[in-house]
Amino acid sequence: MRVYILENEAAIGKAVGDLICEAVISKPDIVLGLATGMSPIPSYERMIARYRAGELSFARVSTFNLDEYCDLPREHKNSFYSFMRQNLFSHVDLPPERIHFLDGGAADEAAECARYEAAIEAAGGIDLQLLGIGRNGHIGFNEPAAHFTISSYKTALAPSTIAANSRFFSDVPMPRHAMTMGVGSILRSRRIVLIATGSAKADAVKTMLEGEVSPRCPATALREHPDAAIYLDPAAAALLDK
């Protein structure tokens, strides 16, 4: 695991955005695993800027998002599909048929999760997975648990996750469940990049990097991955001993 501490969110956004762009240039049909939340937005802005400058195309890229809320229409402004359209997809030449999401409204949740895992496998697996980290150490919506999850599944959101995200739901109650890639799904990615910024993530970052590898902090599983890079700002890195 490689850890980079950069001066601020803008520097991280440039570094990670450039990393993803160079990966796309190197492999135009790359399979990207994408994340939502505030952390990746500067990286998506950098990707859009380089696309608009004519430096790369996303026409052959395939994407698989980490997660999606249950019981929230895809068109709702707070769905992760809408987030990705607003912050990346509508600004680049990524074909709609190459964009993949878990269906949070699926009637048969097990069948939907099996479909998603099969689609990832059919695409050749995820080449580069982008992640954030929750305040309780979750990645995707893999909340602290008794064991690491293996593949995509439906999960109940932890109270801390609901508290952190409820401010975005002014018109409808925040969903209590989500569909998410499992920790095993994430670890099957060939390359992983995680972004954490701000003092609110400092405790989770410390546990992820210096605590016991445990499903009680799902992000600690990344220490078992052969090609994982962690990008931090000084506030998120403030509690690290090393």
Side-chain angles (χ1 to χ4, degrees):
M1 179 180 284
R2 303 177 305 283
V3 179
Y4 303 95
I5 303 175
L6 304 186
E7 56 184 321
N8 52 38
E9 292 182 8
I12 293 173
K14 181 178 184 300
V16 174
D18 284 343
L19 182 156
I20 297 172
C21 286
E22 293 305 320
V24 173
I25 293 168
S26 177
K27 185 180 180 182
D29 61 347
I30 193 170
V31 180
L32 298 177
L34 299 179
T36 55
M38 301 304 293
S39 298
I41 289 178
S43 300
Y44 293 152
E45 291 173 344
R46 177 64 174 173
M47 293 161 65
I48 293 166
R50 292 192 60 176
Y51 165 75
R52 288 176 172 169
E55 297 180 26
L56 75 162
S57 170
F58 293 86
R60 295 171 58 196
V61 172
S62 296
T63 67
F64 289 85
N65 259 75
L66 273 169
D67 41 28
E68 182 57 281
Y69 287 119
C70 292
D71 305 316
L72 189 71
R74 192 181 197 191
E75 297 75 21
H76 190 276
K77 63 183 178 67
N78 285 334
S79 75
F80 290 155
Y81 176 82
S82 293
F83 175 97
M84 292 303 306
R85 277 193 54 80
Q86 178 181 345
N87 290 289
L88 180 62
F89 295 158
S90 65
H91 304 286
V92 299
D93 61 342
L94 180 65
E97 64 271 17
R98 291 184 172 272
I99 295 169
H100 300 87
F101 273 82
L102 282 156
D103 180 1
D108 188 332
E109 298 147 4
E112 171 60 12
C113 291
R115 178 201 66 80
Y116 203 61
E117 292 289 336
I120 293 172
E121 184 176 356
I126 293 173
D127 293 300
L128 193 160
Q129 176 67 61
L130 182 62
L131 297 174
I133 183 172
R135 297 182 185 186
N136 62 4
H138 74 234
I139 48 176
F141 271 136
N142 292 281
E143 304 283 17
H147 56 82
F148 288 117
T149 52
I150 297 173
S151 60
S152 297
Y153 68 108
K154 179 179 179 178
T155 182
L157 301 181
S160 61
T161 300
I162 294 170
N165 293 349
S166 288
R167 68 186 188 277
F168 300 115
F169 290 84
S170 58
D171 57 336
V172 297
M174 181 178 164
R176 266 37 183 178
H177 294 83
M179 305 281 273
T180 184
M181 289 187 198
V183 173
S185 310
I186 294 168
L187 293 182
R188 284 190 285 275
S189 305
R190 296 179 182 88
R191 187 178 184 187
I192 294 174
V193 175
L194 182 144
I195 298 170
T197 58
S199 59
K201 301 297 178 71
D203 284 322
V205 166
K206 181 176 177 61
T207 302
M208 172 178 65
L209 295 177
E210 298 180 349
E212 176 188 2
V213 175
S214 165
R216 298 298 181 186
C217 178
T220 59
L222 301 181
R223 303 221 304 264
E224 306 295 325
H225 195 275
D227 190 356
I230 313 298
Y231 285 80
L232 311 172
D233 69 358
L239 300 181
L240 295 177
D241 292 329
K242 299 180 182 178

